[in-house]
Amino acid sequence: MARSEHAVRDRNASAWLLPNDGRRFDHGLVRSMRRYADSDEVDLVVGCGAGGSTLAQRMARAGWSVVVLEAGPFWDPDSDWVSDEAGSHHLYWTEPRVISGDDPVPMGSNNSGRGVGGSMVHFAGYVPRFHPSDFSTFTDDGVGADRPLTYADLKPFYERLECELPVAGQYWPWGDPHGYPHPPHPVGGNGEVFLRGAAALGIQARVGPVAITNRRRALECRAVACPDRNVRAAGQRGYTGGPASATGGCIWHAARPPAPC
């Protein structure tokens, strides 16, 4: 294994990762989880989603006494999760949400997921970067507020996360052009129609980045057969923008060299 892969595994080592004995969840972890007394001094993280859970893991490994607060249950993937959209409605965050301020905006409910895991409980894998202009909307457009960070501040962390997840996607030409560690997955039927239509109209389109491993190298797709159209990665739902070459009824997307990790 490459040295960089060893480093990634070491940084992310956790008892809460999937067991390697065929089980999907070690129930003993819940029973043996450390408890603190009300009088103990702890370091609190609010929210156990993609950000909060990662922060808690890093803090705990550095010796902090971490407690994470999350609204909703501690899901059991063996009994609470099913591979069926209609059977997963109990996972959704359906409580009303309101953006406060002088002009409150009701957001209504959504299906982002609740409980331990946050939005990752119902996550399609789509992981785009913010556009550089998203950080300065007030300066550029006179709306909202500028963020205290810039795109340049976050860029190295985007790159690190894209390597560690890892992310597969087509070369992104907008904002800050960049590639991804893995080339894009082949798209499904609706994606093919969208890409052909965009190409016919002269509109640039790209297969969006997803946190779904794809070991296929950029040029290898020329030599493989069209995959079963009924077998698609779960994150291939949105297509945000590129010319593609049709081969044997499939669309394979040309990719620039992947981003280095």
Side-chain angles (χ1 to χ4, degrees), residues 166-204:
V167 174
Q170 197 170 7
Y171 186 84
W172 205 255
W174 301 289
D176 174 36
H178 58 275
Y180 293 100
H182 290 193
H185 293 272
V187 301
N190 60 339
E192 292 181 5
V193 172
F194 173 84
L195 290 168
R196 288 190 178 116
L201 294 172
I203 299 173
Q204 281 204 78

Side-chain angles (χ1 to χ4, degrees), residues 30-155:
V30 178
R31 295 188 295 269
S32 61
M33 188 186 306
R34 183 172 181 179
R35 267 69 175 175
Y36 292 92
D38 291 344
S39 58
D40 289 339
E41 182 176 321
V42 297
D43 307 292
L44 190 65
V45 175
V46 179
C48 196
S53 60
T54 304
L55 175 62
Q57 183 262 5
R58 296 293 200 267
M59 291 175 65
R61 295 196 66 190
W64 298 60
S65 300
V66 185
V67 171
V68 184
L69 297 183
E70 180 59 76
F74 200 123
W75 300 108
D76 182 342
D78 287 324
S79 59
D80 298 322
W81 294 356
V82 294
S83 183
D84 177 75
E85 195 79 11
S88 300
H89 287 188
H90 62 289
L91 302 177
Y92 301 165
W93 180 16
T94 56
E95 297 179 4
R97 299 173 301 139
V98 178
I99 296 178
S100 62
D102 296 334
D103 185 18
V105 179
M107 300 294 288
S109 61
N110 65 16
N111 63 354
S112 65
R114 65 187 180 92
V116 174
S119 62
M120 302 296 287
V121 170
H122 190 254
F123 176 51
Y126 188 51
V127 285
R129 299 183 187 182
F130 277 9
H131 191 281
S133 65
D134 291 333
F135 296 83
S136 54
T137 57
F138 184 78
T139 297
D140 298 340
D141 305 314
V143 298
D146 291 348
R147 294 178 180 267
L149 300 172
T150 67
Y151 175 85
D153 293 327
L154 292 183
K155 181 176 179 178

